[in-house]
């Protein structure tokens, strides 16, 4: 597609060096289309020095005037965007130089949402992960989060965000799974287009704000299941999410609750690996944090 005007929204808090790395990757695109970058400072004073620092692309610096946290910050940026499309990039991630071009190449005329693949960088190695298809559909997303379709790859039509799709849900506990939620809502309307190649580098490191927030993840999953009937109708999909809750409960040391949730997960889908991982954490000295680090090292997640 041509004549696409993209506003990139970056929510940030207290990571100035990582933020500048992200911004450099965004202004260094090998295709036109990006018309502005909106940096939304969440629960932190705005850094006005960013304005004019990257002469290639105008940078707006604003404060999050909505709900504190990632969801409100992204919505604040959407509200100030002048482009017809919204792209996200986490402040600790990077776009590949061909990100915009690759997504414009696969975008259908009636598309509202485009994603892409990622390179996961855990500091010791890099792992490439792509969705492996040209489109994402509900039948796949209820069974798998499709972590390759990361929010730093999202490209969404602004009119959809302001209309049928809706904004980022600011009621999700802690903002956890907000990206999965909007992707589920998108495929409910129509299939999501995929640039099946890496378009972002996702950095996994100790400063990630969502790392090991077990309580938050348990509450957020309950919230997501309650608002998404498609998940309730999918035994494998529900088992995956209940398995994540079992693992979180085990990580919190709530052994009896973890065992009950693992049992529920097993009844839904005996093949769900998180059942057995949760049991290992609940019944042995194996630590949840060690397991997370171990799977992250090979580009996977729990």
């Amino acid at each position: 597609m041509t004549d696409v005007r993209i506003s990139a929204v970056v929510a940030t808090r207290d990571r100035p060096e990582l933020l500048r790395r992200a911004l450099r990757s965004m202004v260094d695109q090998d295709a036109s289309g990006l018309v502005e970058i909106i940096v939304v400072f969440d629960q932190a004073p705005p850094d006005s020095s960013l304005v004019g620092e990257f002469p290639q692309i105008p940078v707006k610096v604003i404060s999050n005037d909505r709900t504190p946290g990632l969801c409100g910050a992204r919505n604040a940026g959407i509200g100030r965007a002048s482009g017809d499309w919204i792209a996200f990039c986490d402040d600790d991630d990077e776009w590949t130089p061909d990100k915009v071009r690759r997504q414009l190449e696969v975008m259908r005329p009636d598309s509202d949402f485009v994603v892409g693949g990622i390179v996961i960088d855990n500091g010791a190695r890099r792992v490439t992960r792509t969705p492996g298809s040209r489109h994402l559909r509900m039948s796949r997303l209820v069974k798998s989060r499709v972590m390759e379709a990361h929010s730093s790859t999202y490209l969404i039509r602004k009119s959809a965000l302001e209309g049928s799709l809706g904004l980022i849900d600011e009621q999700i506990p802690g903002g956890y799974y907000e990206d999965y939620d909007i992707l589920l809502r998108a495929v409910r309307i129509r299939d999501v287009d995929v640039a099946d190649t890496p378009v972002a580098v996702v950095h996994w490191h100790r400063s990630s704000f969502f790392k090991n927030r077990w309580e938050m993840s348990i509450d957020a999953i309950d919230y997501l299941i309650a608002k998404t009937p498609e998940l309730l109708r999918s035994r494998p999909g529900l088992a995956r999410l209940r398995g994540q809750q079992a693992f979180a409960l085990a990580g919190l040391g709530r052994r009896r609750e973890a065992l009950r949730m693992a049992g529920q997960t097993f009844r839904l889908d005996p093949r769900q690996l998180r059942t057995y991982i949760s049991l290992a954490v609940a019944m042995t000295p194996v630590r949840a944090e060690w397991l997370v680090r171990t799977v992250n090292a090979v580009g996977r997640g729990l």
Side-chain angles (χ1 to χ4, degrees):
M1 291 182 65
T2 59
D3 301 324
V4 172
R5 301 176 70 255
I6 301 169
S7 296
V9 174
V10 185
T12 189
R13 186 178 72 204
D14 300 333
R15 297 201 278 209
E17 293 182 1
L18 296 179
L19 172 63
R20 281 173 165 80
R21 181 184 66 186
L23 296 180
R24 282 193 295 271
S25 76
M26 301 166 81
V27 301
D28 288 341
Q29 292 296 295
D30 66 7
S32 60
L34 186 63
V35 297
E36 65 183 352
I37 300 172
I38 303 172
V39 182
V40 187
F41 283 81
D42 176 53
Q43 306 169 73
D47 181 0
S48 58
S49 69
L50 292 171
V51 178
E53 185 171 332
F54 300 92
Q56 304 97 315
I57 300 290
V59 176
K60 296 179 182 177
V61 174
I62 67 172
S63 294
N64 177 16
D65 58 0
R66 297 178 65 103
T67 306
L70 178 61
C71 300
R74 283 183 168 163
N75 287 338
I78 292 167
R80 295 287 296 275
S82 64
D84 303 315
W85 288 79
I86 303 295
F88 294 134
C89 185
D90 288 354
D91 63 355
D92 56 344
D93 293 339
E94 302 172 80
W95 286 359
T96 62
D98 58 353
K99 194 261 190 193
V100 170
R101 176 170 57 84
R102 293 288 190 182
Q103 293 189 293
L104 295 183
E105 287 173 348
V106 302
M107 184 189 295
R108 293 171 294 177
D110 63 344
S111 177
D112 285 335
F113 206 126
V114 189
V115 299
I118 57 175
V119 174
I120 299 170
D121 187 333
N122 64 13
R125 61 182 296 187
R126 287 191 165 200
V127 179
T128 297
R129 299 283 302 274
T130 62
S133 64
R134 292 297 302 273
H135 304 97
L136 291 182
R137 298 178 173 87
M138 181 65 79
S139 58
R140 180 179 178 187
L141 275 176
V142 295
K143 294 178 182 178
S144 169
R145 163 61 184 84
V146 190
M147 62 171 293
E148 299 87 349
H150 189 276
S151 58
S152 288
T153 76
Y154 288 5
L155 182 60
I156 312 172
R157 194 184 298 270
K158 187 182 180 187
S159 61
L161 287 164
E162 296 174 333
S164 58
L165 178 57
L167 294 172
I168 308 300
D169 188 345
E170 297 179 28
Q171 301 305 311
I172 295 178
Y176 192 85
Y177 262 2
E178 48 80 27
D179 50 350
Y180 185 34
D181 170 66
I182 197 167
L183 199 53
L184 285 166
R185 286 188 277 137
V187 297
R188 187 180 290 148
I189 299 170
R190 63 169 56 88
D191 296 348
V192 166
D193 290 338
V194 177
D196 197 34
T197 188
V199 299
V201 180
V202 175
H203 294 273
W204 285 356
H205 49 78
R206 293 183 182 272
S207 67
S208 295
F209 288 125
F210 287 124
K211 186 176 179 60
N212 294 347
R213 294 190 177 180
W214 308 122
E215 290 277 9
M216 180 183 66
S217 68
I218 294 167
D219 293 342
I221 288 171
D222 280 338
Y223 179 92
L224 184 65
I225 291 172
K227 70 175 292 190
T228 312
E230 292 89 348
L231 291 172
L232 283 170
R233 293 195 291 265
S234 170
R235 293 179 69 87
L238 192 57
R240 174 177 58 86
L241 292 170
R242 294 305 189 198
Q244 289 178 343
Q245 289 181 309
F247 181 78
L249 288 164
L252 288 167
R254 291 158 58 177
R255 181 173 178 270
R256 290 186 178 181
E257 293 173 85
L259 293 176
R260 284 197 296 269
M261 188 64 75
Q264 181 178 342
T265 303
F266 180 83
R267 289 189 292 274
L268 286 166
D269 183 5
R271 299 166 297 178
Q272 176 53 243
L273 181 60
R274 290 178 181 86
T275 302
Y276 309 101
I277 294 174
S278 302
L279 292 173
V281 174
M283 302 181 67
T284 73
V286 173
R287 291 181 58 83
E289 292 83 357
W290 177 82
L291 280 172
V292 170
R293 289 195 299 270
T294 300
V295 297
N296 284 357
V298 294
R300 311 296 296 192
L302 283 172

